[in-house]
Amino acid sequence: MRILVVGGGGREHAIIKSIKKNPMVEIIYALPGNSGIARDAVTVSIAATDINGIVNFAVDNEIDYAIVAPDDPLVMGCVDALNAKGIPCFGPDAKAAIIEGSKVFSKDLMKKYGIPTAAYETFSEMDAAIEYLQTAPIPTVIKADGLALGKGVIIAETREEAIDAVKSMMEDKKFGASGENIVIEEFLEGPEVSVLSFTDGHVVVPMISSMDHKRAGDGDTGLNTGGMGTVAPNPYYTEAVAERCMKEIFVPTIEAMKAEGRTFKGCLYFGLMITADGPKVIEYNCRFGDPETQVVLPLLKSDLLTIMQAVTEGTLAYTDVEWMDASACCVIAASEGYPTSYEKGYEIEIPADVWPNTFVAGAKSQGDKLVNSGGRVLGVTAVEPTLKEAVAKAYEMVDRVKFDNKYTRRDIGARALKAIEK
Ligand code: AMP
Ligand code: GLY
């Protein structure tokens, strides 16, 4: 089979490393991929948002199956465009990807179908939003409606901060058209759990749960980042919580999308908060999470490509999705200064025994060397019988990866380990 993967980060590298295990796979193209991914796939410099370029490439190269991983091309209709040329894809069409593409849509969906989430109001006029904030409970959460590179959520601790956030989105247009409409919602508290799921629109099969570490600094301090590390499974996602999520959130969401004529096929990501009132949805993503994928897929016992094809064909109910009875930890090696400003171009050395566990996010070639080109450079994942061992092993490996100005959080998994010990 000739496979095409759209995207170019650590998540895509993890997908490619899993797909490669299927003996039917003849060649994998990554568009655009990166120079680390180039060691595992053929990279082609076509941007993930160049829908025409992607479709033309797929047709010219007789692609049998495409996997569209990032949110932008999904929301832009990359799957629709490939399907129109007869190319089967993993990923939702644009109509379904709106579950991530518009927060106003997803909040209204949850309200309409009684899916637990934070209470909220939506606004398209700045004055009305500011008026509402005069009496709204504080802290409060302001969200830009559209995609905003994961930065469109502001948690305001004071009324002034909340008003500034609204102005930055609606007056200064910090997120462009994404901030034309906004959601103001109740601030929730509790541990966060990420649950990625496979769904073919008929059934939903949750993957193993995971925990992201979004802040740049140890002890969850500093700025929000794209994710500094992950562990799986997430100890807060107990069997009782999982049962409630299935009944109150996962199945109702799939059914709601179907009822709206927006059947979702692909990976639906549930960002959950386990509150005192039970699990609630913080956000939906229409795709695999990054860096959640880097701990979830290494724990998958079944064949990923087979599952993906079953999702496309609507036969997921008859397909094995089995997980290892083990734990995984991924530590991200970033460049010092990320997410604000950082230097690029330093040579990266990855020991040969660490390479199979390495997922490259931001690197390019300089001669035959690999040099860092992004804030998040790579992630290293360990799979071990226990979480404690997985954390220790992930650090042992990532500490042997060398590049100048390398920065890793030192406490990935610490909160999860504490929860297990309790
Ligand atoms: P998002 O960009 O939607 O993933 O949101 C970023 C982060 O903001 C989430 O991972 C949560 O930690 C936090 N967050 C979002 N919505 C809420 C909320 N209603 N209450 C508390 N924290 C939230
Ligand atoms: N790790 C969160 C996300 O992919 O959105």
Side-chain angles (χ1 to χ4, degrees):
M1 281 183 77
R2 302 170 63 77
I3 311 281
L4 183 156
V5 175
V6 176
R11 165 185 57 200
E12 287 76 9
H13 201 179
I15 291 172
I16 286 166
K17 281 193 173 181
S18 286
I19 294 287
K20 265 185 93 166
K21 293 183 199 154
N22 184 311
M24 300 288 286
V25 172
E26 204 179 305
I27 189 161
I28 306 176
Y29 293 102
L31 278 58
N34 63 49
S35 295
I37 291 177
R39 296 182 179 184
D40 283 308
V42 179
T43 55
V44 182
S45 108
I46 294 176
T49 47
D50 178 2
I51 309 295
N52 279 334
I54 292 166
V55 172
N56 290 338
F57 179 88
V59 171
D60 291 347
N61 291 277
E62 297 175 354
I63 295 302
D64 298 303
Y65 192 68
I67 299 161
V68 183
D71 45 2
D72 295 298
L74 288 166
V75 171
M76 289 165 74
C78 191
V79 167
D80 312 56
L82 287 164
N83 284 344
K85 296 287 182 190
I87 297 164
C89 294
F90 182 84
D93 60 14
K95 255 178 126 176
I98 193 176
I99 198 165
E100 174 169 2
S102 166
K103 290 203 188 332
V104 172
F105 170 86
S106 67
K107 294 298 291 190
D108 288 349
L109 184 87
M110 288 186 269
K111 188 187 265 180
K112 181 168 171 190
Y113 292 90
I115 297 164
T117 187
Y120 73 101
E121 298 286 337
T122 64
F123 297 93
S124 55
E125 300 290 339
M126 187 172 78
D127 292 346
I130 291 173
E131 167 90 40
Y132 170 79
L133 283 174
Q134 304 302 335
T135 54
I138 297 289
T140 189
V141 184
I142 324 282
K143 298 185 173 184
D145 176 44
L147 298 179
L149 296 170
K151 297 188 178 71
V153 174
I154 296 173
I155 298 180
E157 307 281 350
T158 64
R159 234 168 268 290
E160 292 68 43
E161 263 178 59
I163 291 168
D164 285 347
V166 167
K167 285 185 180 162
S168 76
M169 288 180 194
M170 302 188 94
E171 194 170 64
D172 308 338
K173 310 241 183 284
K174 191 167 169 204
F175 305 110
S178 287
E180 275 170 16
N181 295 298
I182 62 163
V183 172
I184 301 183
E185 72 176 28
E186 173 195 9
F187 175 75
L188 296 178
E189 280 175 286
E192 285 184 56
V193 178
S194 306
V195 180
L196 285 56
S197 70
F198 293 110
T199 175
D200 61 359
H202 306 295
V203 293
V204 53
V205 180
M207 299 184 215
I208 208 157
S209 62
S210 54
M211 183 192 289
D212 196 359
H213 297 68
K214 284 203 170 92
R215 301 292 202 93
D218 285 4
D220 293 324
T221 54
L223 293 173
N224 254 319
T225 72
M228 294 302 296
T230 35
V231 296
N234 184 323
Y236 292 103
Y237 192 67
T238 60
E239 246 168 72
V241 170
E243 236 171 74
R244 280 190 73 171
C245 287
M246 194 69 184
K247 211 161 65 198
E248 297 170 18
I249 297 172
F250 304 161
V251 173
T253 301
I254 300 306
E255 293 301 322
M257 290 297 279
K258 208 187 322 185
E260 294 293 311
R262 296 176 183 274
T263 300
F264 190 102
K265 294 172 93 161
C267 172
L268 183 54
Y269 168 128
F270 298 91
L272 307 168
M273 198 169 267
I274 315 305
T275 73
D277 294 337
K280 294 191 179 179
V281 177
I282 288 282
E283 61 162 344
Y284 292 115
N285 290 327
C286 65
R287 53 169 174 86
F288 283 95
D290 189 341
E292 285 89 342
T293 306
Q294 291 91 309
V295 282
V296 170
L297 291 185
L299 290 170
L300 180 63
K301 239 201 283 187
S302 312
D303 178 60
L304 177 62
L305 185 58
T306 306
I307 298 168
M308 287 181 156
Q309 288 178 295
V311 164
T312 306
E313 285 157 19
T315 54
L316 186 57
Y318 316 104
T319 306
D320 280 340
V321 183
E322 296 203 34
W323 301 95
M324 290 164 65
D325 184 14
S327 291
C329 173
C330 175
V331 178
I332 300 292
S335 297
E336 184 79 55
Y338 170 75
T340 316
S341 65
Y342 48 86
E343 290 174 29
K344 299 178 188 178
Y346 294 118
E347 182 177 357
I348 306 165
E349 285 174 57
I350 306 167
D353 66 301
V354 178
W355 174 252
N357 304 64
T358 302
F359 306 114
V360 178
K364 63 178 190 182
S365 293
Q366 215 167 68
D368 53 5
K369 288 187 213 153
L370 203 57
V371 302
N372 74 309
S373 67
R376 287 192 303 170
V377 179
L378 54 84
V380 176
T381 297
V383 173
E384 293 290 332
T386 66
L387 181 60
K388 196 170 171 192
E389 292 163 292
V391 170
K393 180 75 183 166
Y395 275 108
E396 186 272 319
M397 288 192 289
V398 79
D399 286 344
R400 286 192 288 125
V401 170
K402 303 282 177 220
F403 58 90
D404 285 352
N405 288 358
K406 187 178 95 173
Y407 170 75
T408 50
R409 256 181 79 162
R410 302 310 300 178
D411 65 342
I412 303 302
R415 189 170 178 202
L417 284 171
K418 235 192 213 157
I420 291 172
E421 280 161 16
K422 254 193 220 154

